[in-house]
Amino acid sequence: MSAEAEEVAHDTVEAAVRAQLAKAFGGVRGIIEAAVPTVAFTLSWIFTEDLKLSLIISISLAVLLLLVRIVQRSTPQFVINSLIGIAIGAFFASRTGDAKDYFLPGILWNAGYMVGMLISIVTRWPVVGFLIGSVTGDPTAWHKDPGIVKLCTRLTWLLMLPCAVRVAVQGPVYLFGGDQAVAALGFAKIVMGWPLQVAALGAMLWVLGRGRTPLKPPVASA
């Protein structure tokens, strides 16, 4: 759909952001596909303590899920994203020989996202605002409206919260978890993955459901 068509379809900021958020999440299937390789790696490590076998099982399942998507001719975006993350985690773990390093890239990724979104809030260019820009075709016009900036700032805080929680919980487990770190990190990644993201999405949709901000603010008369 072109930017012009999307602009017609969404006459309010709230409607536009809801539509863009729906595209960013993979639904129930995306949640399952993201969780399966992590569950497999964690359980395999718990029962075998064989890092190589656990990595093979995890990557194989991710590749299998990707092939199913391709055969069904459905979008492979979410599986590919998951596979890239798994491959990076496998690289870290295989290089160090420590199974808990499988989870390190995810912790660093969330920390990076958290810092980036916090900077966007402090500078008053909240990242959610650029979702509006992707609909209107002008990536920065939304910033001229203080009401839209305020709304997008609230939404960016909510989007950032899952990242902050993951870093706050998983970081200390990674650093000080000892022999139980792999099982604890696997459990934390599953619980704080899509379920936490969906909770944040629900909160964002609740905020969006309370207002009707025009997508294009009225032009002031001379």
Side-chain angles (χ1 to χ4, degrees):
M1 182 183 293
S2 65
E4 291 79 5
E6 286 197 67
E7 192 172 343
V8 172
H10 311 302
D11 59 348
T12 66
V13 170
E14 288 79 7
V17 175
R18 279 197 299 268
Q20 295 301 91
L21 288 174
K23 292 180 182 179
F25 291 82
V28 174
R29 182 172 179 178
I31 294 171
I32 294 173
E33 288 172 339
V36 165
T38 298
V39 173
F41 175 84
T42 304
L43 291 178
S44 177
W45 171 258
I46 290 173
F47 288 113
T48 69
E49 294 193 0
D50 186 326
L51 176 59
K52 184 176 180 179
L53 175 62
S54 300
L55 292 174
I56 290 173
I57 291 174
S58 177
I59 294 173
S60 297
L61 282 173
V63 171
L64 178 61
L65 291 171
L66 177 60
L67 291 175
V68 170
R69 283 276 192 176
I70 292 173
V71 169
Q72 294 179 341
R73 296 185 178 180
S74 61
T75 176
Q77 172 190 346
F78 302 102
V79 181
I80 291 174
N81 292 344
S82 176
L83 183 58
I84 291 172
I86 291 165
I88 295 173
F91 174 77
F92 272 62
S94 61
R95 291 281 293 180
T96 65
D98 192 337
K100 72 178 182 180
D101 285 335
Y102 177 85
F103 301 96
L104 180 58
I107 297 173
L108 296 177
W109 183 265
N110 277 280
Y113 259 86
M114 180 183 69
V115 171
M117 284 188 278
L118 184 59
I119 291 173
S120 80
I121 291 170
V122 171
T123 58
R124 294 187 58 77
W125 282 89
V127 295
V128 172
F130 294 98
L131 294 179
I132 299 170
S134 68
V135 172
T136 62
D138 188 332
T140 60
W142 58 271
H143 194 258
K144 299 174 184 177
D145 188 320
I148 295 179
V149 173
K150 185 176 180 180
L151 172 64
C152 291
T153 297
R154 292 176 182 172
L155 295 173
T156 302
W157 276 115
L158 291 172
L159 190 63
M160 186 187 78
L161 187 58
C163 297
V165 171
R166 292 178 194 128
V167 173
V169 173
Q170 296 175 26
V173 173
Y174 173 83
L175 293 173
F176 310 113
D179 295 337
Q180 305 302 316
V182 174
L185 286 169
F187 178 77
K189 184 170 183 177
I190 295 165
V191 172
M192 296 180 180
W194 279 106
L196 191 58
Q197 201 70 46
V198 169
L201 175 61
M204 294 173 76
L205 293 178
W206 179 79
V207 171
L208 290 168
R210 299 176 64 197
R212 287 186 58 81
T213 309
L215 189 60
K216 278 191 173 181
V219 179
S221 58

